Amino acid sequence: MDYEFPKEFDLIVVGTGVVESILSAAASRVGKRVLQIDENDYYGGQWASFSLESIIKSKHHKKDYGGNESETNLLRFGNDLVSLKNIAHKFHMTSNNTLEEETDKIENEEQPKENKWTEENLLKLSRKFNIDLYPKLQYARGDFVELLISSNIARYCEYRSVSRILIWFNNRLESLPCSRSDVFANTKVSVVEKRMLMKLLTSLNDKEKHVQNYENKTFKEFLTDKKLTPNLIHYVLYGISSSSDDTSCEDGIEKARRFLNSLGRFGNTPFLFSLYGSGEIPQAFCRLSAVFGGTFALGQQIQGFSISDDKFKSVTLQSQTVEAEKLVLNIENLPARFIKSDKLEYISRCILITDRSVLDSEKEHLSLIFYPPTDGKSFTTVIEMGFLTGTCPNNLYLVHLIAKQNTSPQEDFQHVIDKLFASHVEETSQEKPSILWSYYFSMPETNDIILSDDLPNNIFVCPGPEIDLDYDTSVDKAKLLFEKMYPDLEFLPRAPDPEEIIIGDDNEEEESTDINEEDHDKVINVEQEDKENVISAEQEDKVNVISAEQEDKVDQQ
């Protein structure tokens, strides 16, 4: 028997992406009745994390909800415009069912001998992978981290600091000198360059002074005018500000400032990563929403929603209709009739499983790698995760590549993969890690999608992942939508710690009873004390009277 929800809510949220989940938590936190539902049986939508086998089997496209709209008088959720495209995966080694010895080692969590990985024994480790559709990092002093702290949601996740930042330069990977200690420890930068770099990094705090004369110029032109050497321009432009040649001066300085301001707070680099994958982030906000009364249901068969008098009215599930004052949904779930944009920009994505790190070290690193644009290719961000991030088995690495799409994911990343990896496990290389498995796809960038004018004003649409490295844009979008929904209410006030919460009326009554009994005892004690004082006063008066009479007799004698 299907669970029956209450018939009315203040807010219905369809989807469990980051922005939707932030809004769900914010509304529930201020006392709104929230129902959050998802057709998927997992949290996150396009922000989700998967096991190896799950991501291979999942198609990541919108399912067909319900029947014909004209027959049901319902608007069906979903569209074909913002689903993932160009999905392709491949195991880069031969299938071999005869390697029983190696399979036994996998079951005992031992790594096979070199070049002995097969599709079968890799799939045996499927559940040890947490593969993000779109991984994100967090600036240590960014808006997202500040929101986690101020709202007390940080307790629902665990984090690890990015331990090293690398940049492709002079046909090799080099450590990016980003802090004062890094700059002066770098042997590839001359003493004069070190002074120039430190002077520039210190001066970037005065943004207005620099931008004033470079309103229509690029950040690269700004750095060139500062008489920086090509080495320093490369480090600052492609590393510290993670910009491209056409990035405006204002945007480049702002990116560099965010990078520099976050240094030293939680580690040697400015970035944090959520352990067990970025799919943990939407779940953290959903947990807070549930703590304050939010209702959640995954794997729901949603028939559609109805509009009356140009207002959203209700959502129809498989067995009931639920009404609400407002509807929040992800752009994936919005009917195509409400989307004006018919052309989208896409983000190229590639996920790799490799047998070792791109740059060997004595200890395992969580690495962020910047690969500058070259030969018409876009700037590429590479994130390499090891066992200690909780995203892959021991002795394996999970590598994410992200870039603005120019042609196709395979073509956009081929030059990076050729430089950093060996394409086949049979290739013997002492320097390059071997690719065991690859997964390519195109993800739509939906942050700037134009919505139709006839979208009801009590329906609020959340974008999916954007190409930015962190979550700050998502936080800004959630704040903007919440202000439209509830302009007089505070956005995600601090949630109390468990020990600060008083649960139930019984405790309050017991506490009240204890107080009354204590007060009653105090009254009795006061009354007894007053009686004793009165008795003592009367006795004292009697004594005084007797003494006076005795004194009079003595005087008469």
Side-chain angles (χ1 to χ4, degrees):
M1 181 177 178
D2 293 334
Y3 177 80
E4 186 171 342
F5 300 104
K7 295 182 179 180
E8 293 184 4
F9 286 87
D10 296 316
L11 174 66
I12 294 178
V13 181
V14 179
T16 51
V18 168
V19 181
E20 305 97 274
S21 298
I22 292 176
L23 288 173
S24 172
S28 181
R29 178 66 186 88
V30 295
K32 300 300 179 181
R33 298 169 299 164
V34 177
L35 170 64
Q36 189 165 359
I37 54 179
D38 199 325
E39 56 140 346
N40 299 312
D41 57 0
Y42 55 85
Y43 287 92
Q46 291 186 348
W47 308 79
S49 301
F50 297 90
S51 67
L52 177 58
E53 191 171 358
S54 296
I55 198 171
I56 291 173
K57 291 181 178 180
S58 180
K59 299 300 183 182
H60 307 297
H61 59 72
K62 297 309 298 175
K63 296 179 181 178
D64 185 17
Y65 294 97
N68 190 295
E69 287 186 1
S70 61
E71 296 176 358
T72 61
N73 293 321
L74 293 174
L75 293 173
R76 290 187 296 165
F77 288 100
N79 60 80
D80 294 327
L81 299 176
V82 296
S83 58
L84 304 187
K85 311 288 186 183
N86 306 320
I87 300 175
H89 82 92
K90 179 182 179 182
F91 286 94
H92 293 254
M93 59 274 195
T94 57
S95 177
N96 189 346
N97 294 318
T98 63
L99 293 179
E100 297 180 0
E101 179 182 353
E102 305 303 335
T103 301
D104 291 339
K105 288 185 177 181
I106 289 296
E107 293 175 349
N108 294 324
E109 298 187 5
E110 295 181 11
Q111 184 185 13
K113 295 179 181 179
E114 186 176 1
N115 293 343
K116 290 297 184 180
W117 283 105
T118 66
E119 178 179 337
E120 287 78 14
N121 57 35
L122 195 61
L123 285 172
K124 281 185 175 292
L125 297 174
S126 171
R127 297 183 64 182
K128 294 184 179 294
F129 288 96
N130 285 307
I131 303 174
D132 295 325
L133 280 182
Y134 204 93
K136 289 278 190 177
L137 301 179
Q138 302 148 37
Y139 280 102
R141 284 192 172 88
D143 292 342
F144 184 75
V145 169
E146 296 301 334
L147 178 64
L148 291 178
I149 296 172
S150 65
S151 62
N152 216 3
I153 294 178
R155 67 179 185 267
Y156 294 123
C157 286
E158 297 178 81
Y159 305 90
R160 188 184 176 196
S161 175
V162 172
S163 53
R164 68 179 178 183
I165 301 178
L166 306 174
I167 187 169
W168 185 259
F169 189 40
N170 291 331
N171 207 34
R172 64 177 181 268
L173 284 175
E174 295 184 2
S175 294
L176 177 68
C178 47
S179 65
R180 180 182 292 272
S181 59
D182 290 341
V183 170
F184 287 101
N186 194 305
T187 59
K188 297 180 176 62
V189 180
S190 68
V191 175
V192 175
E193 287 179 319
K194 291 177 181 179
R195 292 175 180 172
M196 295 172 64
L197 181 58
M198 289 307 304
K199 182 178 179 181
L200 173 70
L201 298 182
T202 303
S203 69
L204 288 179
N205 287 326
D206 191 355
K207 178 182 175 182
E208 299 299 329
K209 175 183 176 181
H210 296 304
V211 173
Q212 187 175 3
N213 299 323
Y214 289 88
E215 292 181 357
N216 299 317
K217 294 185 178 181
T218 65
F219 188 47
K220 186 174 184 178
E221 291 175 314
F222 166 79
L223 297 175
T224 303
D225 289 348
K226 292 296 180 181
K227 309 299 182 183
L228 298 184
T229 64
N231 284 2
L232 297 184
I233 291 177
H234 191 92
Y235 287 140
V236 176
L237 179 63
Y238 303 126
I240 292 176
S241 70
S242 59
S243 300
S244 57
D245 293 348
D246 58 354
T247 300
S248 69
C249 180
E250 182 176 3
D251 290 344
I253 291 178
E254 181 59 32
K255 288 182 177 181
R257 289 180 64 206
R258 292 174 66 200
F259 184 102
L260 297 171
N261 289 338
S262 294
L263 280 171
R265 187 178 191 184
F266 298 117
N268 294 327
T269 73
F271 299 105
L272 297 174
F273 176 73
S274 172
L275 289 181
Y276 312 110
S278 298
E280 293 292 306
I281 296 299
Q283 293 186 58
F285 287 93
C286 290
R287 290 187 189 106
L288 182 73
S289 179
V291 166
F292 287 91
T295 302
F296 289 78
L298 302 180
Q300 293 296 300
Q301 295 186 17
I302 312 172
Q303 302 299 318
F305 66 97
S306 63
I307 294 176
S308 178
D309 297 328
D310 296 327
K311 294 281 187 180
F312 160 75
K313 182 180 180 182
S314 63
V315 169
T316 299
L317 305 176
Q318 185 177 16
S319 58
Q320 72 174 117
T321 297
V322 183
E323 296 184 353
E325 295 178 1
K326 295 177 175 63
L327 173 68
V328 167
L329 73 167
N330 188 276
I331 188 70
E332 286 183 275
N333 296 311
L334 186 67
R337 59 177 286 185
F338 294 119
I339 299 177
K340 269 188 178 180
S341 308
D342 55 355
K343 292 184 179 179
L344 297 176
E345 292 187 352
Y346 282 85
I347 302 168
S348 285
R349 286 280 290 113
C350 174
I351 306 171
L352 305 175
I353 296 176
T354 64
D355 60 352
R356 61 179 182 268
S357 175
V358 292
L359 189 63
D360 287 334
S361 176
E362 293 181 359
K363 65 177 183 178
E364 179 185 300
H365 285 281
L366 170 56
S367 303
L368 172 62
I369 304 164
F370 296 125
Y371 200 101
T374 179
D375 298 330
K377 302 292 186 180
S378 298
F379 182 94
T380 301
T381 301
V382 183
I383 305 174
E384 183 187 68
M385 309 171 184
F387 171 71
L388 295 180
T389 62
T391 59
C392 64
N394 196 14
N395 297 318
L396 290 176
Y397 285 84
L398 193 61
V399 184
H400 293 271
L401 291 84
I402 305 166
K404 184 176 181 180
Q405 182 166 303
N406 290 325
T407 53
S408 69
Q410 287 88 340
E411 293 182 18
D412 290 341
F413 294 126
Q414 192 60 52
H415 67 295
V416 180
I417 290 175
D418 289 343
K419 293 292 185 180
L420 299 181
F421 305 99
S423 299
H424 299 282
V425 76
E426 289 81 6
E427 294 182 16
T428 58
S429 173
Q430 299 299 322
E431 298 180 358
K432 294 182 180 181
S434 297
I435 297 175
L436 306 179
W437 174 80
S438 63
Y439 188 87
Y440 292 91
F441 61 95
S442 301
M443 175 171 284
E445 190 167 18
T446 58
N447 204 53
D448 296 324
I449 281 185
I450 301 174
L451 303 178
S452 173
D453 296 332
D454 60 350
L455 179 71
N457 60 12
N458 62 341
I459 295 180
F460 303 89
V461 183
C462 304
E466 70 289 327
I467 200 166
D468 292 346
L469 190 59
D470 64 330
Y471 292 98
D472 286 4
T473 301
S474 299
V475 172
D476 292 340
K477 186 65 175 180
K479 287 181 178 179
L480 181 63
L481 290 174
F482 185 83
E483 186 176 351
K484 291 181 179 179
M485 295 163 60
Y486 306 110
D488 299 327
L489 297 178
E490 183 181 359
F491 177 75
L492 268 179
R494 179 185 178 276
D497 292 318
E499 59 270 17
E500 299 173 348
I501 301 175
I502 299 175
I503 302 175
D505 296 330
D506 293 337
N507 292 339
E508 294 178 1
E509 291 177 2
E510 291 176 5
E511 184 178 353
S512 177
T513 302
D514 293 338
I515 292 174
N516 291 335
E517 290 176 355
E518 184 178 356
D519 290 342
H520 181 65
D521 292 338
K522 288 182 179 179
V523 171
I524 293 175
N525 291 335
V526 169
E527 291 176 350
Q528 290 176 345
E529 186 177 351
D530 289 341
K531 288 181 179 179
E532 292 173 357
N533 290 338
V534 170
I535 293 172
S536 299
E538 291 176 349
Q539 291 175 344
E540 185 177 354
D541 289 340
K542 288 181 179 179
V543 171
N544 291 335
V545 170
I546 293 173
S547 299
E549 291 177 350
Q550 290 176 346
E551 288 179 2
D552 289 340
K553 288 182 179 180
V554 171
D555 291 339
Q556 289 176 359
Q557 292 176 355

